[in-house]
Amino acid sequence: MPELWAGIDAGKAHHHCVLIDTEGNRLLSRRVANDEAALTELLNDVRTLAAGKEILWATDLNRGGAALLIGVLEAHTQTLVYIPGRSIYHAARTYRGDGKSDAKDAAIIADQARMRRDLHPIRSGDQISTDLRLLISRRTDLVCDRTRAINRLCAVLLEYFPALEAAFDYAMVKAAVVLLTKYTTPAGIRRAGQARIAAWLRNQGCYNAKTIAAKAVAAARAQNTTVQAQEVGASLVAALARTVLDLHEQVAAIENQIETRFREHQQSEILLSMPGFGTLLASEILAATGGDITAYDSAARLAGVAGLAPVPRDSGRISGNFHRPKRYDRQLLNAFYLAAQSAARYCPQSRSYYQRKRAEGKNHKQAVLSLARRRLNVLWAMLRDGTPYQQPTVLAV
């Protein structure tokens, strides 16, 4: 049982640590740099003050700027719990004074760790899940950059060539983006002609080159007016098209890295055997759970973390109101929801369950969430027992 509590308000360059005893008295308050030597010195000083007593460390960050802190404490076999910053923000209202400082926040973190019994120690994921978490974050950034570049490309193209902007879905048709790296104006497209454009697209490795060329020429013939924005806009569109293609290649490369790293994990085949889970969604599960989904006490605990366990909001005579919790892992919820939505289309058992929920009066989203909760129970049991998913067999009558 802990007798001392060390609260750390974590930051990028510096942390602030406050050590309190069972009465809430401050034994230490120190600002410490975010480097190994300073953190080790802090740890040794806290141990000296503890004089053999058990210490419980608590922080409001579980990654990012607190990564080195977590690594140092883990290397010295110290117990560290995580209290979300949102919880600290709301708890601060119950303490005296309206002022805010790193020292006060660290003291609140330590005091919350002293009073609460529902906190769980921070678990460092295995090496593969840590790598997947970084790779998935990078992929998300690249996909967002690509979407932003496509939206900007369409906006500029709309300024001077609206017919061509309306002719293609540039987020879905890569050949249309390739077209814009060379042919960006109505006059240029008319001058090149359908046959030459189709031949050039085929040389670039594009599918449906003839169809793409025909649509482009039709759009060019629909506009004979030269808009003022055309000269500068055409150069910007070509540059943005090259940016989009470069981001396409980067996304493809990092997805290959994710798949390669994912398949090295011991649970990869079990996850992929579950209908609805592909490499990316299964990688997100590993990244969010630290590589060991069975580290959670039960499937119900995992469902609570994933936001798939509704919580009651009853008051007075009003009862039976269930809502999604405010605190949950959005990455986990997204992975389970998308996998359930895919399984509802292609897996007979999941489709049957989904249709039964719709027949009960649930809307699409509610039915998919119910299916995701049911599938979470199955996946947790599969990983606990180390057995892949098996399609139920129908006995002949």
Side-chain angles (χ1 to χ4, degrees):
M1 191 71 181
E3 297 180 71
L4 296 176
W5 293 264
I8 298 178
D9 181 43
K12 293 181 180 179
H14 295 83
H15 310 307
H16 200 103
C17 177
V18 170
L19 181 69
I20 63 173
D21 59 15
T22 54
E23 300 298 324
N25 300 314
R26 295 191 187 186
L27 306 180
L28 176 144
S29 179
R30 180 188 301 176
R31 188 170 187 256
V32 57
N34 189 20
D35 66 71
E36 186 173 359
L39 292 172
T40 303
E41 181 182 357
L42 171 68
L43 174 61
N44 293 332
D45 290 346
V46 170
R47 280 176 160 178
T48 300
L49 288 171
K53 297 178 181 177
E54 185 178 349
I55 309 165
L56 180 65
W57 299 76
T59 182
D60 60 343
L61 282 180
N62 59 358
R63 61 183 63 172
L68 179 59
L69 168 69
I70 294 171
V72 169
L73 293 177
E74 185 178 45
H76 290 82
T77 64
Q78 299 293 299
T79 303
L80 175 66
V81 297
Y82 168 60
I83 307 177
R86 183 188 179 109
S87 298
I88 299 302
Y89 171 78
H90 289 296
R93 300 176 181 178
T94 65
Y95 289 81
R96 185 173 56 188
D98 293 332
K100 184 188 183 304
S101 66
D102 292 345
K104 181 180 178 180
D105 289 344
I108 293 173
I109 292 171
D111 198 41
Q112 288 293 303
R114 178 178 69 90
M115 294 187 295
R116 293 179 59 173
R117 296 293 181 268
D118 60 337
L119 302 175
H120 292 267
I122 292 177
R123 297 183 299 105
S124 294
D126 57 41
Q127 187 61 52
I128 294 178
S129 66
T130 302
D131 294 345
L132 287 174
R133 178 171 58 82
L134 294 175
L135 289 171
I136 289 171
S137 296
R138 177 57 180 162
R139 179 188 177 274
T140 301
D141 291 340
L142 290 173
V143 170
C144 291
D145 290 342
R146 182 177 62 184
T147 301
R148 190 179 302 111
I150 290 173
N151 290 341
R152 186 58 185 155
L153 181 150
C154 292
V156 176
L157 190 58
L158 189 62
E159 289 276 349
Y160 73 93
F161 198 172
L164 187 60
E165 190 277 336
F168 303 105
D169 181 356
Y170 293 96
M172 301 299 294
V173 184
K174 182 180 177 181
V177 180
V178 174
L179 172 74
L180 292 178
T181 61
K182 185 174 181 180
Y183 301 101
T184 57
T185 63
I189 293 175
R190 288 196 302 268
R191 187 166 51 250
Q194 180 176 334
R196 184 184 298 178
I197 293 175
W200 182 79
L201 287 173
R202 279 193 292 269
N203 290 336
Q204 300 302 312
C206 298
Y207 295 102
N208 299 323
K210 187 175 180 180
T211 303
I212 299 296
K215 287 185 177 182
V217 170
R221 288 174 178 169
Q223 179 176 331
N224 293 296
T225 302
T226 301
V227 182
Q228 276 188 334
Q230 178 172 297
E231 184 178 353
V232 174
S235 62
L236 290 176
V237 164
L240 286 166
R242 288 190 290 269
T243 300
V244 171
L245 292 176
D246 179 60
L247 289 169
H248 269 305
E249 294 177 0
Q250 292 187 53
V251 170
I254 205 162
E255 285 179 351
N256 288 334
Q257 284 184 267
I258 290 173
E259 181 171 4
T260 301
R261 201 72 178 104
F262 168 75
R263 291 189 180 278
E264 295 174 1
H265 198 277
Q266 59 182 355
Q267 295 178 340
S268 61
E269 296 304 321
I270 297 177
L271 284 165
L272 290 179
S273 69
M274 185 79 167
F277 279 107
T279 302
L280 288 176
L281 289 180
S283 296
E284 290 188 11
I285 295 290
L286 288 181
T289 59
D292 184 12
I293 201 173
T294 59
Y296 296 92
D297 298 336
S298 63
R301 171 63 182 162
L302 177 60
V305 173
L308 289 172
V311 295
R313 290 187 185 175
D314 298 340
S315 179
R317 298 179 180 179
I318 301 174
S319 62
N321 287 332
F322 290 91
H323 300 269
R324 183 185 301 167
K326 292 184 178 180
R327 291 176 294 171
Y328 59 92
D329 190 315
R330 282 160 175 77
Q331 183 181 9
L332 266 180
L333 177 62
N334 179 70
F336 279 112
Y337 184 89
L338 292 179
Q341 190 165 244
S342 176
R345 296 178 62 187
Y346 302 111
C347 175
Q349 289 73 34
S350 296
R351 188 186 311 117
S352 176
Y353 185 88
Y354 168 82
Q355 291 172 345
R356 187 163 73 249
K357 291 299 174 182
R358 290 304 303 270
E360 293 174 2
K362 296 184 183 296
N363 60 35
H364 170 73
K365 188 175 181 179
Q366 292 171 332
V368 173
L369 286 172
S370 297
L371 175 60
R373 176 67 175 90
R374 182 68 172 266
R375 284 162 50 84
L376 182 146
N377 291 344
V378 176
L379 183 62
W380 188 84
M382 286 164 49
L383 294 172
R384 178 198 61 195
D385 301 335
T387 57
Y389 181 82
Q390 297 177 355
Q391 293 284 355
T393 56
V394 180
L395 299 177
V397 180

